[in-house]
């Protein structure tokens, strides 16, 4: 368990460094957020997850592409791309990372459309970001969605993809 926690911490620190350089607001969402704000806080083990999910506030696809390049195309990249536009693999830990853009990019109907034509709802991400909690890891502050926002986003995700893991997380909380 400690090894998994150290790996998650490494990913969080690397992501934080990249988005700070780009001055992009980011928040931890998904099951990784559940672990940080629920499981760890109450010292209980919920559904294991092998990935981390983030939402990054951007104005345009250009901003998202700049983030992508900063993660994967530098002289010493921390991440490698996958076949899925918003999914990356953290090179030193092999942890899968999903990054969903939200903000102006989702206007006017709080929806984004990936280059492969797949549409994704980003309803609730602005509110989740504005109500996020700050937690410190190695004296570095991270925004993590709060429990009510986590539940709302899990319900929206379940409505979009019908993945039972979303309902399992809600039931667990």
């Amino acid at each position: 368990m400690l090894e998994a926690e150290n790996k998650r911490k490494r990913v969080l620190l690397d992501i934080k460094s990249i988005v700070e350089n780009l001055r992009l607001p980011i928040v931890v969402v998904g099951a990784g957020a559940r672990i940080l704000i629920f499981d760890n806080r109450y010292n209980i083990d919920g559904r294991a997850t092998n990935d981390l999910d983030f939402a990054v506030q951007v104005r345009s696809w250009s901003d998202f592409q700049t983030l992508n390049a900063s993660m994967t195309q530098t002289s010493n990249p921390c991440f490698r791309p996958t076949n899925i536009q918003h999914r990356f693999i953290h090179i030193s830990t092999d942890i899968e990372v999903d990054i969903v853009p939200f903000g102006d990019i989702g206007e006017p109907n709080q929806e984004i459309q990936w280059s492969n034509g797949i549409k994704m709802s980003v309803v609730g991400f602005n509110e989740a970001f504005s109500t996020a909690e700050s937690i410190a890891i190695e004296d570095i502050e991270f925004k993590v969605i709060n429990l009510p926002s986590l539940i709302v986003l899990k319900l929206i995700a379940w409505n979009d993809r019908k993945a039972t893991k979303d309902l399992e997380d809600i039931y667990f909380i």
Side-chain angles (χ1 to χ4, degrees):
M1 184 66 173
L2 190 55
E3 183 182 354
E5 201 167 307
N6 286 334
K7 285 182 172 184
R8 271 194 304 273
K9 190 182 300 183
R10 180 75 259 146
V11 174
L12 287 165
L13 293 171
D14 284 347
I15 286 282
K16 182 70 171 190
S17 174
I18 292 167
V19 297
E20 277 188 346
N21 284 338
L22 298 173
R23 292 187 171 92
L24 293 175
I26 196 165
V27 61
V28 182
V29 298
R34 191 209 71 227
I35 290 169
L36 292 169
I37 63 170
F38 190 77
D39 299 20
N40 290 354
R41 183 174 291 162
Y42 298 108
N43 200 28
I44 53 178
D45 292 324
R47 178 182 62 81
T49 185
N50 297 322
D51 70 344
L52 283 169
D53 302 311
F54 298 90
V56 62
Q57 192 175 46
V58 295
R59 292 179 307 278
S60 65
W61 283 109
S62 175
D63 287 349
F64 188 76
Q65 290 164 347
T66 299
L67 172 61
N68 184 322
S70 294
M71 292 172 64
T72 63
Q73 297 173 14
T74 61
S75 59
N76 189 20
C78 295
F79 297 87
R80 68 177 182 268
T82 68
N83 293 338
I84 300 171
Q85 195 173 351
H86 65 278
R87 185 163 294 149
F88 306 86
I89 303 296
H90 187 254
I91 293 170
S92 68
T93 63
D94 258 355
I95 289 180
E96 194 174 276
V97 172
D98 286 345
I99 301 184
V100 174
F102 75 98
D104 290 349
I105 196 171
E107 296 302 330
N109 55 357
Q110 295 299 296
E111 184 176 78
I112 58 173
Q113 183 171 341
W114 298 102
S115 61
N116 62 4
I118 293 177
K119 293 181 180 181
M120 180 185 286
S121 172
V122 290
V123 169
F125 280 86
N126 286 317
E127 294 79 6
F129 181 78
S130 68
T131 60
E133 300 178 17
S134 287
I135 63 164
I137 297 175
E138 294 186 11
D139 297 326
I140 297 173
E141 291 288 319
F142 290 88
K143 280 189 154 264
V144 181
I145 61 171
N146 63 28
L147 280 177
S149 294
L150 177 63
I151 291 170
V152 168
L153 291 182
K154 284 286 183 179
L155 285 169
I156 292 168
W158 179 81
N159 186 57
D160 283 351
R161 61 187 182 195
K162 305 296 190 248
T164 57
K165 67 182 183 175
D166 297 315
L167 293 179
E168 288 170 7
D169 284 343
I170 292 168
Y171 179 75
F172 176 71
I173 292 168

